[in-house]
Amino acid sequence: MGSAFEAVVGAAHVCAPARPDLDGVPIAEVVRPGNAGEVAACLALAADAGIALVPSGGGSKRGWGNRSCADSLVQLDLGRLSSPPAVDPDEGIATAAAGLPLEVLEARARELGKTTWLPSVHRGATLGGSVAADPLGPELSLDRRLRNELLGLEVALPNGTLTRCGGRVVKNVTGFDLVRLYCGSLGTLGVITEVTLRLRPVPEQSRVLERVFPSVETALPLAVELALEGGAVGAGLLAADGELRLLWRCEGREAELAERERRVPGSAVDEAEWAALGAVLAEGAEPWLGPGPARLRVAGRPSDTLPIWSALAARGHVCTPRLALPLVGVVYADVEELALPTIVAALADLGYALQVERCSPELKQTLDVFGPAPAVEALLRAVKGRFDPRGILSPGRFVARI
Amino acid sequence: MLDTPSARFAYQADGLTLVTGSPLAVAFPTTTDGVAGLVRACCAIGLPFLARGAGTGLSGGATPIDGCLVIECSRMNRILEIDPVNRTATVQPGLVNAQLSRQVVALGLHYAPDPSSQSACTIGGNIAENSGGPHTLKYGTTSPHVLSIEVVLPDGSICTLGRRDGHSVGYDLRGAFVGSEGTLGIATAATLRLVPLPETVCTLLAPFGDLVSACEAVSAIIAAGIVPAALELLDDRTIDAVEASVYAAGYPRNARAVLLVELDGLPVGVAHERARVEALCSARGALDVRVARDEAERLAFWRGRKGAFGAMGRLAPDLYVHDAVVPRTRLPDVVARINAAAERHGVRLANILHAGDGNLHPNISFDRRDAGELERVRQIGAEILEICIAAGGVLSGEHGIGLEKRDYMGLLFSEADLAPMRWLHDAFDPDDLCNPGKMIPQPRACTESNPRHREYAAVEF
């Protein structure tokens, strides 16, 4: 079948995979389209031939998702869709191809006095991959969600058409909000080929502050105080070497930062300390290379942070909480694989959202990494069935093994 | 349940009174189960239905189809829970927008989306339309403030889209539901984000001798890295209407445009930004820059802006409030072209702009009893959209598509673009009973084969 894709993208852009499988499902070949039209043509071809595709960007979150139910996969690598971004600082928007690395976009935006609010902890992450996977980052709050930064998308659909949704303006209620539907859909509804997003002013100053606590019970009240004071753009509670370090970042003018620090004092620390939070997040997306703990993400309300952490810590012999993002109620833990199904079931019973970000391919054969299917499973399947009736896009990898 | 001629007449339109329909009856449920029962009854006999809040929408989204059931949600108006720690409120759909903020102000919180109709419009309607408002510039439209929604689906079943903690599991159906104009189901409760009240608010009023300079000041403020809470612009015709009305705010009559800038945040930050905004406006030719000295003066500045639509009632019996968005830097050119078109068509048009967002509201005053004028209003309505699309804009920033702009969706989207919107709709409402015929134009083949679509196809706007 490789020859068929060669007719679309050229023989030079169909190659053998660097890794032979994805979660144990063989990857037959890697197809590298050079533009959005070729992406759409690849989808049309795959739909006609019943070939299962798995879109990929930088591969930085390659392991996220369930094991595909396909017998084999063709990897649709969007890395060639990386032309320079169109950054318009006057309008405060940028449009870029899906395969563009986030750091390239950010660097260009910074040159023009702007920044993005995209989580950038995963090395090599691309714009399209980030939109599809909707990752979290330490600078995350209910105000700063990736999906709120998106203005428009170009998406290739399984019927072979290239479509647009949203727009290139900062306010828009024209038709159904498909942008939000595609965001976080893990490439199961369409393949994102271009993204238009909001740009933000670069803050004049930025400061990372820290306090060290003996226990999570003493650390989290400060996190609540931070949230109420409203000054932190992100916060992380990091377990390391027997200590709990609460780090938070403030942005603004010098006088504002001084005022915030007066209200909630902390020790100023180096940016590298903040990067440690991102490093823990990035671990969850690293490929599985052998025995080791799985990575579990559990999410609830901000006030759930302590109960989630406590519930995980109570299984101390098999489960180690590593990091919490208290402003959004998220806790990351390393979990021994044997205990993972039990812990996932227990936390799901408590009503928390969860995702096993990293585990062995063997475990994925029996474990739904997103936990029990949600109550709206039928609706999710109805949506998938209409967008991708032949089930060619990442079949089985999404929530409820959709 | 009401089915008298007077009741059916009262519910024949929403705020877009140019298009009307006559419902079979109007039901007033008080519970989610009540809504679900009504929907199931409609499904059983194939009767179209639609939900309605306060009816303040301006795009015909709540205009009934002849013979349908209107499910009026105003009696479901309770606040079910306030969670100050997590800053959320769970409310019923008939709660009036401004009422929510009033209830949580003692906690130092407020609900940020603030449509001009916020003293009347309801949360359910805001969710349906993804409503905005003057403070959208900093705080966003309704969607980012909605964490989860309890929905009666078009088959009468009840589900929850999204989670009250804001974390997504599966496709973001909550995000897709917000702004779906009541075509995917009926919201019967929602958990909303509450936002801390700003410690300091500073409102500035800057009159300009011409609209272009005012727009340049807007761009300069944004370029300076300042994100005002609101950045509103009124043209001279709006100023005249306001100052001649009970909403008079002291806007200078000699100004060709007035810029209203609201800054909020920490006192030290606001003081800095205030100085910057004053300097930027002066450098762009502001005739004056007035800073509200107290809350009474701040409210007076806003009284003119918020009352502007009402003030235009003095100009003519009818008002058509248009809504479109263009790239911010295109505002001067686009407004000039719209004004020229108004002159060419001989219609009275005044502009209010959420300038920081590039969101225009050209307001057309007319008398519907004059058939010729009505036709000219329809013509310029279409021309405004064409001008905005040609400038890189979109059809709506906050009013939605409804019936008003449904048939103009093709200006922005191809048939291929519209297909996934129909797929999404069909996944929720395969029998097309839930507020049918709104927002998405039907393909020609469907229009010819489906009697309901034939009826809507006959609607002219």
Side-chain angles (χ1 to χ4, degrees):
Chain A
M1 198 61 224
S3 61
F5 286 109
E6 285 173 7
V8 176
V9 302
H13 301 296
V14 178
C15 57
R19 292 198 187 100
D21 69 277
L22 178 61
D23 298 326
V25 179
I27 295 179
E29 59 192 357
V30 178
V31 178
R32 306 185 75 234
N35 57 54
E38 289 184 3
V39 175
C42 287
L43 264 66
L45 177 62
D48 281 346
I51 298 169
L53 298 175
V54 57
S56 69
S60 63
K61 294 172 283 294
R62 188 173 184 266
W64 283 14
N66 279 310
R67 185 183 196 275
S68 175
C69 58
D71 293 332
S72 72
L73 295 162
V74 168
Q75 183 179 338
L76 193 65
D77 180 345
L78 300 178
R80 289 176 66 212
L81 274 67
S82 57
S83 52
V87 177
D88 186 339
D90 295 331
E91 288 297 337
I93 66 170
T95 298
L100 190 77
L102 293 185
E103 61 259 32
V104 175
L105 174 62
E106 180 67 18
R108 179 62 183 144
R110 291 264 174 176
E111 284 172 10
L112 298 170
K114 298 289 181 181
T115 186
T116 66
W117 281 0
L118 300 178
S120 56
V121 298
H122 300 102
R123 183 175 304 217
T126 61
L127 187 55
S130 296
V131 174
D134 192 14
L136 306 182
E139 287 110 349
L140 178 76
S141 67
L142 290 176
D143 292 319
R144 291 197 182 206
R145 299 302 297 259
L146 185 150
R147 67 178 76 118
N148 295 339
E149 300 305 290
L150 304 177
L151 302 174
L153 298 175
E154 181 186 70
V155 180
L157 296 174
N159 66 3
T161 60
L162 196 58
T163 63
R164 287 192 171 278
C165 57
R168 293 184 180 182
V169 292
V170 296
K171 191 178 183 186
N172 186 1
V173 293
T174 306
F176 291 122
D177 191 348
L178 297 180
V179 173
R180 281 187 162 80
L181 189 70
Y182 291 125
C183 180
S185 65
L186 214 58
T188 58
L189 298 179
V191 178
I192 296 162
T193 53
E194 184 183 272
V195 179
T196 298
L197 72 158
R198 200 184 289 273
L199 297 175
R200 301 288 183 171
V202 176
E204 283 189 15
Q205 301 283 332
S206 177
R207 190 171 298 161
V208 179
L209 299 168
E210 178 197 57
R211 277 207 212 169
V212 179
F213 295 88
S215 71
V216 69
E217 289 82 3
T218 53
L220 283 171
L222 179 62
V224 172
E225 192 180 333
L226 282 173
L228 291 173
E229 197 274 336
V233 299
L237 182 68
L238 187 64
D241 303 326
E243 290 180 331
L244 286 163
R245 302 169 63 205
L246 181 65
L247 296 110
W248 67 98
R249 174 186 287 281
C250 293
E251 293 177 352
R253 296 181 181 83
E254 183 55 41
E256 292 170 297
L257 297 189
E259 174 61 17
R260 295 201 186 285
E261 197 172 346
R262 187 188 65 76
R263 295 179 184 190
V264 186
S267 306
V269 296
D270 191 79
E271 282 289 330
E273 304 296 328
W274 186 255
L277 303 180
V280 175
L281 293 178
E283 287 171 9
E286 288 173 0
W288 183 268
L289 298 175
R295 173 58 61 82
L296 176 64
R297 179 174 86 202
V298 187
R301 298 168 300 175
S303 65
D304 292 326
T305 312
L306 178 56
I308 292 172
W309 186 289
S310 300
L312 293 166
R315 297 162 170 87
H317 55 298
V318 290
C319 178
T320 308
R322 295 284 309 280
L323 170 69
L325 304 177
L327 299 186
V328 287
V330 177
V331 180
Y332 294 82
D334 287 341
V335 183
E336 295 300 325
E337 283 215 318
L338 281 174
L340 196 56
T342 307
I343 292 176
V344 164
L347 289 162
D349 279 349
L350 293 172
Y352 300 125
L354 50 86
Q355 179 181 346
V356 177
E357 292 189 344
R358 183 171 178 266
C359 71
S360 68
E362 291 75 24
L363 187 57
K364 282 193 178 185
Q365 291 190 16
T366 55
L367 179 72
D368 186 327
V369 300
F370 297 102
V376 292
E377 178 186 356
L379 210 44
L380 299 178
R381 289 192 183 282
V383 171
K384 168 71 173 178
R386 281 166 172 80
F387 278 70
D388 183 17
R390 300 206 58 184
I392 62 160
L393 278 175
S394 296
R397 298 196 72 219
F398 197 50
V399 170
R401 296 190 185 277
I402 289 173
Chain B
M1 182 84 82
L2 291 175
D3 62 355
T4 61
S6 59
R8 289 157 55 203
F9 179 80
Y11 287 91
Q12 67 176 344
D14 61 10
L16 181 76
T17 56
L18 288 170
V19 187
T20 60
S22 181
L24 175 72
V26 184
F28 298 85
T30 56
T31 64
T32 298
D33 286 341
V35 174
L38 288 165
V39 170
R40 282 197 294 271
C42 288
C43 287
I45 57 173
L47 181 70
F49 57 89
L50 81 156
R52 178 185 166 110
T56 56
L58 292 165
S59 61
T63 299
I65 183 174
D66 284 346
C68 77
L69 178 70
V70 173
I71 299 174
E72 216 270 19
C73 297
S74 62
R75 294 188 180 186
M76 299 175 69
N77 60 357
R78 289 187 298 128
I79 296 175
L80 302 174
E81 182 190 47
I82 294 171
D83 177 351
V85 174
N86 294 299
R87 294 177 180 161
T88 64
T90 301
V91 307
Q92 291 186 310
L95 182 72
V96 171
N97 173 298
Q99 185 69 20
L100 177 55
S101 285
R102 278 199 291 272
Q103 291 296 318
V104 298
V105 68
L107 300 169
L109 301 169
H110 75 298
Y111 179 62
D114 62 338
S116 292
S117 57
Q118 70 179 134
S119 60
C121 67
T122 61
I123 296 296
N126 293 170
I127 291 171
E129 300 296 326
N130 193 11
S131 302
H135 292 81
T136 297
L137 177 61
K138 182 170 184 175
Y139 294 100
T141 54
T142 296
S143 187
H145 297 274
V146 177
L147 301 174
S148 70
I149 316 167
E150 179 188 75
V151 174
V152 172
L153 293 171
D155 65 359
S157 62
I158 301 168
C159 72
T160 299
L161 306 179
R163 294 168 50 90
R164 64 178 180 163
D165 54 29
H167 297 287
S168 239
V169 177
Y171 302 129
D172 185 6
L173 300 181
R174 173 216 61 85
F177 188 89
V178 177
S180 62
E181 304 191 4
T183 63
L184 301 184
I186 299 176
T188 49
T191 298
L192 310 172
R193 284 179 59 212
L194 301 173
V195 177
L197 287 168
E199 290 184 27
T200 309
V201 177
C202 175
T203 306
L204 301 93
L205 185 74
F208 287 81
D210 62 277
L211 190 82
V212 172
S213 298
C215 289
E216 287 174 354
V218 169
S219 291
I221 291 167
I222 300 290
I226 297 168
V227 183
L231 196 45
E232 302 285 295
L233 205 160
L234 289 70
D235 74 358
D236 51 351
R237 298 168 208 197
T238 305
I239 295 167
D240 285 344
V242 166
E243 290 305 312
S245 75
V246 295
Y247 303 105
Y251 299 158
R253 299 291 287 264
N254 64 331
R256 304 286 291 179
V258 158
L259 193 60
L260 196 59
V261 187
E262 188 150 283
L263 307 165
D264 69 14
L266 288 181
V268 288
V270 169
H272 176 90
E273 290 185 343
R274 169 190 155 173
R276 292 276 286 147
V277 168
E278 285 184 290
L280 290 166
C281 287
S282 297
R284 265 73 185 176
L287 305 175
D288 181 22
V289 182
R290 288 160 53 190
V291 180
R293 288 162 297 187
D294 51 33
E295 182 65 6
E297 190 170 17
R298 188 182 84 82
L299 293 176
F301 285 179
W302 274 108
R303 185 169 61 240
R305 165 61 187 85
K306 294 248 178 185
F309 297 112
M312 287 174 199
R314 300 182 71 256
L315 305 180
D318 297 291
L319 179 67
Y320 173 26
V321 183
H322 214 302
D323 169 47
V325 183
V326 297
R328 188 168 41 223
T329 54
R330 299 296 305 274
L331 279 176
D333 170 49
V334 166
V335 171
R337 293 184 63 192
I338 288 172
N339 287 344
E343 202 158 311
R344 198 169 60 252
H345 287 285
V347 299
R348 289 163 286 184
L349 185 147
N351 291 288
I352 298 173
L353 298 88
H354 302 304
D357 294 318
N359 189 182
L360 308 100
H361 291 311
N363 299 288
I364 305 160
S365 301
F366 67 102
D367 185 343
R368 71 170 63 212
R369 293 168 297 187
D370 180 339
E373 185 173 28
L374 190 59
E375 182 52 30
R376 292 197 300 278
V377 169
R378 288 188 168 126
Q379 287 173 358
I380 193 173
E383 193 168 336
I384 288 170
L385 293 178
E386 288 163 1
I387 291 169
C388 292
I389 298 298
V394 296
L395 296 176
S396 175
E398 55 187 13
H399 293 177
I401 300 302
L403 285 174
E404 177 199 10
K405 295 171 181 167
R406 179 197 61 188
D407 295 333
Y408 296 99
M409 288 285 274
L411 289 176
L412 191 63
F413 296 119
S414 68
E415 271 301 310
D417 298 334
L418 292 171
M421 295 194 195
R422 294 193 186 103
W423 299 338
L424 176 67
H425 172 267
D426 291 349
F428 278 79
D429 184 19
D431 296 328
D432 200 16
L433 290 176
C434 189
N435 202 12
K438 306 294 172 62
M439 188 158 67
I440 309 299
Q442 295 296 325
R444 178 168 292 276
C446 295
T447 306
E448 289 167 352
S449 63
N450 186 327
R452 271 203 299 280
H453 296 151
R454 273 207 300 277
E455 181 167 347
Y456 274 109
V459 172
E460 276 190 9
F461 188 81

